Amino acid sequence: MVLKMDKNLTYDDYLQLKKELSFYSYRYYVLSEPVISDSEYDQRYHQLKAIEAQYPNWITSDSPTQRIGAPVSGKFEKVAHPAPILSLANAFDMNDLRAWYERIVKLDERVSTAEFVLEPKYDGLTVILHYENGILVRGATRGDGLIGEDITSNIRTLPTIPLQIPVLDRNISVPQRLVVRGEVLLFLADFEALNKKLEEAGEKTYVNPRNTASGSLRQLDPMITSSRPLKIFCYDIVDASDDIELPATQWETLQYLKTIGFPTSDLSQFAENIDEVVNYWPTWLERRDALPFEIDGVVVKTNQHAVVADLGFVGKDPRGAIAIKFPAREVSTTLQDIRVNVGRTGVLTPYAVLTPVEIGGVMVKQATLHNFDFIAEKDIRVGDRVFVKRAGDVIPYVVGPIKDTRSGAEKTYLPPQECPACGTQVEHFEGEVAWYCVNAACPAQLIRHLEHFVSRGAMDIVGLGIKIVEQLIEQKLIQDVADLYTLKSDDLLNLEGYAEKKVENVLAAIAASKAQPLNRLITALGINGVGEAMATDLAGKYADLDALKAASMPELESMDGVGPNIAQAIIDWFANPLNTQLLEKLRNVGVWPIVEHQQVERTAQVLSGLTFVITGTLPNYGRDEMKTLIQQHGGKVSGSVSRKTSYVVMGENAGSKADKASALNVAILNEAQLLEMLK
Ligand code: IVH
């Protein structure tokens, strides 16, 4: 309908246009399936504005022109809810779920044949939306469950909340009074973008999406709320007039809310019985990370409303529903202290000492604080209550402080002026965030250096763990990595927890490492920017460490993947007198691999230009061994399959890489076929 702006325009035309616009915005915002173009929408919207300018007394609050109203003065009014806004009891695993089921079966035997609905437990903020004659008249927070705050003007700014219920199916009616419950939240990507924007504007950032949703809804100025891309999912009818019969089950309620135009989630599931609920649970655990918004569990609801009502409550929790909570990944705890770790290259990294707290089934006592700038930017103080997050394999990290709970006793943190391990003055390089300890003999750096030297990708000395390394350094049994090779069994036998057999094994592993090829020794030296791949390239060109030491800047830079920074780091490393001393010691103890380049060059031809991906367990070769073998023959090894992959070398129990290889038509070899290629 395109209305003509003439005198004959009736009030009914105005109502019709408002209705249409409400439908268009539902299609656009809720379904993301617009039925008209943006410019057509704008055209109609302006038409509506023009009518309203002509007849200001026609304007009502459900007009799309009225989404952003005037700021609330002072504070929000209180509103009594039409029915208690209930909460949920929690279950933490399937045993708890079964126990809940057993309890309610005993109370009501209809439960034994009951169906259930699984819904995401949205990690947001509950809101209560009141509609009269299909028009939004009030929006409230949950408050204490009986009385909430009137946040109508903020609620109205959410484009997915209908100001006028669109009612998408003419055969369905809506009760004259309808009160709907939903959860307002912020999608993760929007949260990150918002924080970035706030940070750039020098404003306070939010700790997590939930706090952001809550903070945004409690702004006094709806203009601010409207600038936050808040979303809502509706899941319950709290109250309604009895002019229309409403669905008798939760599953139908969700369908009903959807058909009349409320945003609902497609993730909800119908379960025939409790066993089906249990079967669905693992999929939810997996799905959790892939969702664009945070959920903190799954709500299981007995489908029949009548059964839920008859089961009654325990306190504020209905017996007929339960929330199965995911293991939390973000919890709050107290920051007891900030300490500093010294890395292999001397970088100082601050970390948090926490009051131990369980996160996702793991006790966490420490968490990284990233760098000193982070502490200053977030204004993290010792004694603060902080949010700590642990997701997947990521090292736990401090998200930020909870400033509202400060007592005043918290202490601002000042970065150390001296290395906490050796007392040397710390240094800062232009353009870098990090602070460094530049003392090459720093014991903390030595520990990290040794850890790296013995690691699997470097000299691969099995059995020489961090505990023993720390003891060796503490007791001054070793001062550098070369000293490992002169250790005697008596030295080790004096250490805590080292019996004869173990000592023998460790010494044998140290001795065996002398035979490691040059590329591994280069990796083990830990030159900045020189990883395993680069070390292999260098060993392919230089026969030993003397040759590498003699390499010039232009010569190094001429190599693939070596830029000026890495070339300079190599030159600097060899120029350092402490390293010259170390090299002499290594030579004297017999750690001095020499590459027979003729042989390398001859074999290098075979796989040159080819890229391999290794997956699964190979019958005779370890993955690292296979990698070295391929590299020694001139091939490249990559971690993921792409169109550029020449072959996938596949062993047993290969995972998704094998599927990807077939999908991309990449040839697959087994170990024997690859060895055949080398002949
Ligand atoms: S139902 C009887 N369903 O979780 C109705 N609540 O821990 C009780 N929540 O206060 C609530 N997603 O804010 C229900 N799909 C969902 C939910 C949900 C999130 C929140 C809600 C409630 C809290 C209880």
Side-chain angles (χ1 to χ4, degrees):
M1 172 177 87
V2 178
L3 296 173
K4 291 227 171 60
M5 289 298 293
D6 58 32
K7 293 247 160 18
N8 300 330
L9 204 70
T10 64
Y11 183 60
D12 280 349
D13 292 332
Y14 172 65
L15 294 183
Q16 176 63 27
L17 183 56
K18 265 199 314 195
K19 212 176 207 163
E20 273 188 34
L21 281 165
S22 139
F23 174 68
Y24 297 143
S25 77
Y26 168 81
R27 296 287 308 207
Y28 183 85
Y29 288 108
V30 180
L31 299 185
S32 303
E33 286 167 3
V35 280
I36 57 169
S37 69
D38 290 3
S39 66
E40 282 168 310
Y41 182 90
D42 289 346
Q43 193 195 345
R44 288 190 181 40
Y45 184 85
H46 285 115
Q47 206 165 26
L48 190 81
K49 279 202 100 154
I51 302 175
E52 289 180 344
Q54 204 175 352
Y55 303 103
N57 54 339
W58 286 1
I59 306 175
T60 47
S61 64
D62 64 317
S63 166
T65 62
Q66 305 298 303
R67 281 217 182 252
I68 306 176
V72 172
S73 59
K75 58 183 193 332
F76 298 108
E77 296 288 322
K78 300 270 181 239
V79 252
H81 298 304
I85 302 306
L86 302 171
S87 190
L88 289 168
N90 291 328
F92 295 95
D93 53 32
M94 290 303 100
N95 290 336
D96 290 353
L97 179 78
R98 294 267 189 206
W100 163 73
Y101 176 79
E102 295 305 330
R103 273 197 311 275
I104 61 170
V105 166
K106 278 202 197 108
L107 293 173
D108 190 328
E109 74 102 18
R110 284 175 296 174
V111 174
S112 63
T113 55
E115 303 145 347
F116 298 92
V117 176
L118 291 87
E119 291 172 26
K121 187 169 186 312
Y122 311 102
D123 199 6
L125 197 83
T126 293
V127 294
I128 314 298
L129 310 172
H130 296 242
Y131 288 84
E132 271 166 29
N133 300 314
I135 289 170
L136 177 71
V137 293
R138 190 173 306 121
T141 61
R142 179 173 184 275
D144 62 3
L146 299 174
I147 292 171
E149 281 179 322
D150 186 335
I151 52 162
T152 314
S153 49
N154 288 338
I155 282 294
R156 303 170 55 78
T157 67
L158 267 72
T160 54
I161 293 183
L163 296 178
Q164 175 181 131
I165 301 177
V167 193
L168 307 161
D169 182 334
R170 280 177 204 287
N171 299 317
I172 290 186
S173 1
V174 174
Q176 184 265 324
R177 188 167 50 81
L178 178 70
V179 183
V180 172
R181 177 173 181 170
E183 205 80 0
V184 171
L185 46 78
L186 202 68
F187 278 36
L188 285 161
D190 292 330
F191 164 71
E192 272 150 30
L194 171 68
N195 258 356
K196 203 163 161 209
K197 220 164 69 187
L198 290 173
E199 200 176 310
E200 278 164 13
E203 285 177 46
K204 204 181 112 199
T205 52
Y206 284 101
V207 172
N208 58 34
R210 206 193 102 83
N211 288 18
T212 317
S214 151
S216 304
L217 276 181
R218 300 191 74 261
Q219 296 284 335
L220 293 175
D221 185 354
M223 189 63 121
I224 299 180
T225 313
S226 82
S227 73
R228 307 281 166 82
L230 299 167
K231 305 272 166 52
I232 185 168
F233 289 110
C234 296
Y235 54 81
D236 195 21
I237 294 176
V238 175
D239 194 27
S241 51
D242 56 11
D243 47 330
I244 276 146
E245 199 175 328
L246 288 173
T249 66
Q250 177 61 13
W251 187 246
E252 287 163 330
T253 300
L254 293 176
Q255 314 308 316
Y256 177 77
L257 287 172
K258 185 174 179 171
T259 14
I260 63 174
F262 285 94
T264 54
S265 164
D266 294 334
L267 296 168
S268 298
Q269 283 177 315
F270 178 83
E272 291 283 353
N273 50 47
I274 197 75
D275 290 335
E276 235 174 73
V277 176
V278 173
N279 288 341
Y280 283 144
W281 175 244
T283 344
W284 283 91
L285 277 171
E286 275 166 33
R287 179 191 270 176
R288 179 189 194 187
D289 284 324
L291 295 179
F293 51 88
E294 290 195 325
I295 67 176
D296 56 345
V298 173
V299 184
V300 179
K301 300 179 179 176
T302 308
N303 197 24
Q304 288 287 340
H305 288 325
V307 175
V308 176
D310 291 346
L311 279 167
F313 318 93
V314 181
K316 285 177 185 164
D317 309 332
R319 286 201 180 85
I322 195 157
I324 324 172
K325 300 280 288 250
F326 287 136
R329 290 186 304 197
E330 187 172 326
V331 299
S332 65
T333 185
T334 305
L335 173 65
Q336 294 178 339
D337 196 8
I338 295 178
R339 292 194 197 147
V340 175
N341 214 346
V342 185
R344 175 165 60 83
T345 54
V347 178
L348 306 188
T349 312
Y351 67 94
V353 178
L354 307 164
T355 301
V357 65
E358 192 187 310
I359 315 182
V362 173
M363 277 310 265
V364 173
K365 295 186 217 130
Q366 294 183 351
T368 179
L369 283 159
H370 310 294
N371 53 59
F372 297 112
D373 281 4
F374 176 79
I375 300 176
E377 274 159 23
K378 295 270 175 185
D379 183 20
I380 297 170
R381 303 180 191 177
V382 175
D384 262 341
R385 210 152 170 90
V386 289
F387 279 116
V388 180
K389 193 158 185 166
R390 182 187 149 261
D393 294 335
V394 183
I395 300 168
Y397 60 95
V398 172
V399 179
I402 309 170
K403 295 182 186 169
D404 298 344
T405 61
R406 279 188 181 153
S407 68
E410 296 77 12
K411 291 198 179 63
T412 306
Y413 175 79
L414 290 174
Q417 304 284 303
E418 287 149 15
C419 169
C422 69
T424 307
Q425 186 85 18
V426 299
E427 285 188 30
H428 189 245
F429 302 109
E430 189 66 35
E432 278 192 47
V433 193
W435 285 84
Y436 287 89
C437 163
V438 291
N439 172 17
C442 169
Q445 287 180 55
L446 185 53
I447 292 176
R448 298 280 102 77
H449 192 203
L450 262 150
E451 262 186 305
H452 172 73
F453 189 86
V454 305
S455 68
R456 271 187 68 192
M459 298 301 268
D460 195 16
I461 305 179
V462 182
L464 207 60
I466 173 79
K467 285 258 154 55
I468 185 169
V469 164
E470 275 172 0
Q471 289 187 63
L472 289 171
I473 293 169
E474 228 167 71
Q475 310 212 356
K476 302 227 167 9
L477 287 168
I478 52 177
Q479 252 124 55
D480 58 36
V481 294
D483 289 343
L484 280 177
Y485 295 91
T486 49
L487 281 173
K488 304 272 174 313
S489 55
D490 279 352
D491 299 334
L492 292 169
L493 278 169
N494 287 333
L495 301 180
E496 220 182 283
Y498 277 82
E500 225 154 285
K501 186 73 201 154
K502 208 163 168 188
V503 167
E504 235 173 72
N505 289 343
V506 169
L507 288 177
I510 294 173
S513 75
K514 289 185 186 177
Q516 292 287 18
L518 180 60
N519 59 319
R520 281 178 171 271
L521 180 58
I522 296 175
T523 305
L525 295 178
I527 304 169
N528 256 343
V530 179
E532 288 176 51
M534 177 71 55
T536 306
D537 288 350
L538 291 169
K541 183 157 177 185
Y542 301 98
D544 65 3
L545 293 179
D546 280 335
L548 180 55
K549 184 177 178 168
S552 68
M553 193 67 186
E555 207 178 291
L556 289 167
E557 274 191 81
S558 71
M559 291 178 66
D560 253 3
V562 181
N565 289 345
I566 293 180
Q568 192 60 54
I570 297 172
I571 304 255
D572 288 352
W573 195 92
F574 283 99
N576 183 332
L578 285 170
N579 292 332
T580 315
Q581 217 177 315
L582 175 69
L583 290 184
E584 278 325 297
K585 277 176 86 172
L586 284 172
R587 195 199 305 267
N588 290 338
V589 294
V591 183
W592 202 262
I594 296 173
V595 183
E596 305 290 339
H597 272 131
Q598 272 176 339
Q599 191 193 345
V600 169
E601 262 148 34
R602 190 156 37 82
T603 52
Q605 307 295 327
V606 192
L607 303 181
S608 83
L610 301 178
T611 302
F612 294 79
V613 170
I614 310 167
T615 180
T617 313
L618 302 174
N620 302 304
Y621 280 75
R623 236 191 263 191
D624 283 345
E625 280 177 304
M626 180 52 83
K627 186 170 169 183
T628 309
L629 191 69
I630 292 173
Q631 287 169 341
Q632 280 170 352
H633 288 80
K636 283 212 155 66
V637 178
S638 152
S640 60
V641 182
S642 74
R643 283 182 204 287
K644 287 190 190 140
T645 311
S646 324
Y647 294 98
V648 169
V649 184
M650 192 165 84
E652 280 207 34
N653 299 323
S656 62
K657 285 178 191 162
D659 300 339
K660 186 138 188 226
S662 344
L664 293 176
N665 254 334
V666 174
I668 296 179
L669 299 174
N670 59 25
E671 184 188 274
Q673 288 166 318
L674 181 101
L675 295 177
E676 195 59 33
M677 278 175 90
L678 301 183
K679 278 188 186 160

